[in-house]
Amino acid sequence: MSEEISSCNHKEHDKNSYCVSIVPIFNHLEAAELKEIVSTARSVSHPRGQMIYRPGEPSEGIYIVHKGSMRIFRESSGGKEQLVRILGPGEFSGELALFNESVHDAYAEALEPLEICMISRESLQAFLLKYPQIALKMLAEFSSRLATSEEQAARIAMETVETRIAMYLAGQVEAWKNACIKLPMRRKDLASHLGTTPETISRKLADFEAAGWIRQTGQRDIEVIDLEALLLV
């Protein structure tokens, strides 16, 4: 029995080690420093569709995606969802808990079978004092998120729906380094992200396909045939 427990603990440590090491705010640390952080992480698994947290619940630390993806979204008083962002492996949420005791102001939902590792506020605050470079990395991450949000808001205000969808597809081609891409979110979430409706997303993708610019091979699988044409939309 002791050997089995030891083996399980070893697997848990390996999982946490990989989870923490791929996060940009930690991956610059030395092996010994990384090991110290890994020792405080806790792994949690969630099935697809499960809520990780809801508005009003205590924010206890940061949630780092190890495998799978989760979406952060808000809900209006009328029940309309607004996507905040989609998180994949190496990305994290819950950072506001680092600065004060607070509650979540959004929902977090597993988009697929999800594995996350959690680091408590107390542990991470101690690491920030001990390793100031983590704080600098976190500021860089916050700046990047703010720039992305401002860029997205500007596009919604200034560009047509066709252009926003075309630019999004072009960005995915660049991210995947391949003409065959898989949309990282459902069309409902993509519509929220781009400031339109799921019906408009479907209609415009059909128009792009009819023009010979893309080929839809699945609900979320798309082959970009003519990238130059998309960039000119």
Side-chain angles (χ1 to χ4, degrees):
M1 177 65 74
S2 61
E3 290 183 1
E4 182 179 347
I5 293 174
S6 175
S7 175
C8 289
N9 288 341
H10 180 67
K11 289 179 181 179
E12 185 81 356
H13 182 275
D14 288 345
K15 183 189 296 185
N16 288 344
S17 179
Y18 177 76
C19 181
V20 172
S21 67
I22 61 176
V23 183
I25 62 174
F26 296 133
N27 62 11
H28 61 287
L29 298 173
E30 298 294 332
E33 298 169 343
L34 199 61
K35 184 177 180 181
E36 185 179 355
I37 293 177
V38 167
S39 68
T40 69
R42 177 168 62 92
S43 294
V44 184
S45 296
H46 297 275
R48 177 182 177 182
Q50 187 173 79
M51 290 294 176
I52 291 87
Y53 55 76
R54 292 178 170 82
E57 294 180 349
S59 183
E60 301 172 343
I62 65 170
Y63 305 75
I64 304 169
V65 177
H66 175 214
K67 289 183 179 180
S69 60
M70 69 178 184
R71 67 174 183 138
I72 311 298
F73 67 98
R74 295 189 176 92
E75 195 173 79
S76 70
S77 56
K80 185 177 180 180
E81 293 181 1
Q82 177 191 17
L83 181 71
V84 177
R85 59 182 179 271
I86 300 289
L87 301 180
E91 297 180 308
F92 61 91
S93 177
E95 60 276 2
L96 294 181
L98 303 178
F99 305 104
N100 53 53
E101 293 187 15
S102 61
V103 297
H104 293 291
D105 63 353
Y107 295 88
E109 178 190 13
L111 286 177
E112 53 191 319
L114 179 70
E115 292 182 12
I116 60 176
C117 53
M118 299 176 58
I119 302 177
S120 70
R121 175 176 56 252
E122 293 76 15
S123 295
L124 202 48
Q125 285 178 339
F127 291 134
L128 289 174
L129 293 173
K130 191 172 184 179
Y131 307 117
Q133 62 268 41
I134 296 178
L136 295 177
K137 288 283 187 175
M138 293 195 75
L139 286 175
E141 173 66 18
F142 296 159
S143 296
S144 176
R145 289 184 181 182
L146 179 60
T148 299
S149 296
E150 290 179 345
E151 180 182 354
Q152 181 182 348
R155 283 186 172 180
I156 290 175
M158 301 173 62
E159 296 174 348
T160 65
V161 173
E162 290 90 342
T163 299
R164 297 201 296 272
I165 297 173
M167 292 300 98
Y168 182 82
L169 294 177
Q172 289 300 303
V173 169
E174 181 179 358
W176 281 78
K177 308 296 183 187
N178 197 311
C180 295
I181 63 175
K182 188 177 185 69
L183 299 179
M185 62 187 84
R186 299 170 295 186
R187 293 195 182 186
K188 180 180 72 172
D189 295 319
L190 180 58
S192 177
H193 178 67
L194 296 178
T196 184
T197 65
E199 294 76 18
T200 299
I201 294 285
S202 296
R203 186 170 64 252
K204 296 303 178 182
L205 289 178
D207 290 344
F208 291 171
E209 188 167 29
W213 302 341
I214 68 171
R215 180 182 298 114
Q216 300 184 76
T217 57
Q219 185 66 15
R220 291 168 59 179
D221 298 295
I222 295 175
E223 179 185 358
V224 175
I225 300 170
D226 193 340
L227 181 59
E228 290 187 6
L230 285 178
L231 292 173
L232 292 175
V233 172

